[in-house]
Amino acid sequence: MGWLAALAALTVLRLAICAILPLAPDEAYYWVWSRDLQGGYLDHPPMVALFIRAGTFIAGETALGVRLMGPVCLAIGSVQLARATEDLFPGRGAGPWAAALFNATLLAGVGAVAMTPDTPLIAFWAATIWALARLHRTGDGRWWLAVGALAGAALLSKYTAALLGFGIVVWLLLDPMARRWLLRWQLWAGGLLAVAVFAPVVLWNAGHDWASFAKQGGRAGAAEAGRALRYLGELIGGQVGLATPLVFVMAVVGVAAAAHRWWRLRDGATLLLAALTIPPAAIFLWQATGSRVQGNWPAILYPAAAIAAAALLTAPGWLRLRLPAVAVGLVMTGAVYLQAVAAPLPLPRRSDPTLARLGGWEGFLTAVDARMTQQGAAFVAAEEYGLAAKLAFGLPRGRVVIAMDPRWRYFSLATPVPGVTGLLVRSERRGEGPPLWPGAEALPEDEGRLVRSRDGIEAEAYRLHRVTTAPGQPPAVVLPRPGS
């Protein structure tokens, strides 16, 4: 049980990191979701908002509260991953190693301390694998109800979970032992349960012109050869880094071993792992021929891949590689944690994602608050949804924050009172085009420029504009504030 103690210690460390680091703009945006709960949102299904709502109920509207469910659910998912390994490949003692390999990835380590839709997606994906493994081991059809509920919850987290259902269907069709479930009511009841869990998203889309489905539906296509090669290179190279190099190699070889073993022995356990990894991987590679695949998207491949690596790579060389793979991954993750918290390396923004997303927010928010007082601004506004949400989460109590962007028309938040003057904060990265806010008047250079920086290294620069609320302007809402 030593590995459980190590997992508990790692979880405590992750919770501490969650409490120390400021929220990234996207996390603050999802916190706004938690204050306006709906059956769906333009960007994603609503599970991340429910996770945040649960966390802030326990730990308050703090960075720890927003992120609380991440480390906790990853710890639970790690135990489920270990149990699934033992159910699929009993007697090999590979369960703790599967959990360790998965936790050694940067995708898991960073994902555990950042609350995004991937957080609940990975939690429910791992839980679904556990339920499928229990089904395979026991032959008890009632486990299909758990599979349906958990897979539905994964789909309620992120649309990528459709690949989980696709993998299950592939397993059912190709494995003779699994095909027998097609004639059993438990399978179909589980499917109906998954649909019922996902139904709020369908109902929300039906009431909002299918906006979310349309936004997420067209993310692929063929590109010119040079661009496709670049995107493919970015995808593969990014996965080597995000999975960490040794874990990536073991995962790829482990999945290949699973496919080979199924082909030779028609083993249902190895087919399940192959079905949950190979089709999604093929789809991501195809997507990369036409558009950039974000590095976090393939995170769903690694729970099953970690099982394959731990359970099927049993030659002495692979067994000796387990510990170095875990050690290298944890060291890389620790280095990212250290850079995010203390920034010992003075890296520029382009080389340091922690600076771009997390650096300098406290000083920047203090400067915005002071500039509001200096200008007599009744509110502060932003056109970027993440920046607006960050202002709403971090400014002192009593400040009014307005967000202007077409996406806000899908929320049920209050609209601004007309005829009030405030400040618009706009990142210089948006270019020199006119602000979205009609009639925005740029402040003079000495008053109208703020820089967010960490230890003197610039993370981002912003321009201030004087703006006034008015009827008929583009969609704008008053964002909630912590404690309000």
Side-chain angles (χ1 to χ4, degrees):
M1 290 294 117
W3 77 275
L4 288 176
L7 178 62
L10 183 59
T11 302
V12 170
L13 172 63
R14 288 167 171 168
L15 288 169
I17 298 295
C18 288
I20 293 170
L21 293 179
L23 293 186
D26 281 352
E27 293 178 290
Y29 176 53
Y30 299 132
W31 165 77
V32 174
W33 289 18
S34 76
R35 294 293 302 274
D36 185 33
L37 292 177
Q38 301 184 47
Y41 300 90
L42 177 64
D43 307 271
H44 297 288
M47 186 62 78
V48 66
L50 298 175
F51 265 43
I52 294 173
R53 189 65 168 260
T56 54
F57 177 79
I58 296 169
E61 290 185 298
T62 62
L64 177 61
V66 170
R67 297 168 170 149
L68 179 64
M69 297 294 289
V72 172
C73 286
L74 185 56
I76 295 171
S78 299
V79 174
Q80 291 174 321
L81 207 60
R83 289 300 312 151
T85 307
E86 298 298 335
D87 282 337
L88 293 172
F89 305 99
R92 302 190 184 193
W97 283 109
L101 288 170
F102 179 65
N103 276 273
T105 65
L106 272 175
L107 286 163
V110 174
V113 298
M115 180 54 68
T116 70
D118 291 289
T119 307
L121 171 65
I122 294 299
F124 289 116
W125 191 288
T128 305
I129 293 176
W130 165 74
L132 286 166
R134 288 269 76 201
L135 172 73
H136 178 80
R137 178 73 177 273
T138 66
D140 186 344
R142 290 173 296 181
W143 280 104
W144 276 116
L145 303 179
V147 170
L150 293 168
L155 198 54
L156 201 64
S157 303
K158 197 171 181 181
Y159 295 122
T160 317
L163 297 175
L164 176 59
F166 181 70
I168 294 172
V169 171
V170 170
W171 178 59
L172 284 169
L173 295 179
L174 294 183
D175 182 46
M177 293 297 294
R179 274 202 300 270
R180 65 190 175 91
W181 292 114
L182 294 171
L183 301 178
R184 306 287 181 86
W185 68 268
Q186 294 98 328
L187 167 65
W188 301 102
L192 288 175
L193 190 54
V195 171
V197 172
F198 185 65
V201 179
V202 179
L203 294 175
W204 184 91
N205 272 274
H208 294 83
D209 300 319
W210 308 102
S212 186
F213 288 166
K215 182 177 188 295
Q216 299 296 334
R219 289 183 173 267
E224 58 192 55
R227 184 174 298 178
L229 289 175
R230 183 172 80 248
Y231 289 157
L232 284 167
E234 288 178 358
L235 171 61
I236 296 171
Q239 291 311 296
V240 172
L242 290 171
T244 69
L246 295 179
V247 174
F248 178 79
V249 170
M250 293 185 71
V252 171
V253 177
V255 170
H260 182 258
R261 182 182 175 90
W262 172 74
W263 184 257
R264 288 181 59 248
L265 303 177
R266 292 300 189 263
D267 175 46
T270 53
L271 174 60
L272 178 61
L273 299 181
L276 293 178
T277 51
I278 294 175
I283 290 172
F284 289 134
L285 289 169
W286 171 71
Q287 276 190 299
T289 65
S291 60
R292 180 171 283 110
V293 175
Q294 298 301 319
N296 60 297
W297 294 357
I300 56 176
L301 304 176
Y302 292 101
I307 294 176
L312 300 178
L313 302 184
T314 56
W318 290 112
L319 294 178
R320 287 193 295 269
L321 195 60
R322 284 174 171 178
L323 187 57
V326 172
V328 169
L330 292 179
V331 167
M332 290 178 64
T333 302
V336 173
Y337 287 170
L338 181 61
Q339 183 68 14
V341 171
L345 299 178
L347 299 175
R349 175 192 169 102
R350 66 179 179 275
S351 304
D352 187 358
T354 71
L355 172 63
R357 292 171 53 79
L358 304 172
W361 283 111
E362 182 177 359
F364 171 73
L365 292 169
T366 300
V368 170
D369 183 56
R371 203 57 55 89
M372 290 181 69
T373 300
Q374 178 189 16
Q375 297 291 326
F379 65 87
V380 64
E383 298 170 349
E384 295 176 78
Y385 62 86
L387 175 59
K390 184 68 184 176
L391 292 168
F393 189 85
L395 282 174
R397 184 170 297 186
R399 293 302 194 185
V400 176
V401 179
I402 294 176
M404 175 176 281
D405 182 278
R407 75 181 57 240
W408 297 109
R409 69 178 181 269
Y410 297 108
F411 289 75
S412 57
L413 300 171
T415 55
V417 176
V420 181
T421 298
L423 292 178
L424 173 68
V425 183
R426 196 166 189 263
S427 172
E428 290 185 352
R429 289 187 300 107
R430 294 179 70 90
E432 297 301 324
L436 179 64
W437 198 297
E441 177 187 347
L443 296 185
E445 176 74 21
D446 57 338
E447 301 176 2
R449 191 172 190 268
L450 295 177
V451 175
R452 175 168 62 88
S453 63
R454 183 177 66 189
D455 298 331
I457 303 175
E458 181 177 313
E460 195 157 0
Y462 303 84
R463 294 283 181 176
L464 300 181
H465 299 72
R466 186 174 291 106
V467 292
T468 302
T469 57
Q473 63 186 14
V477 294
V478 179
L479 295 185
R481 303 298 317 283
S484 63

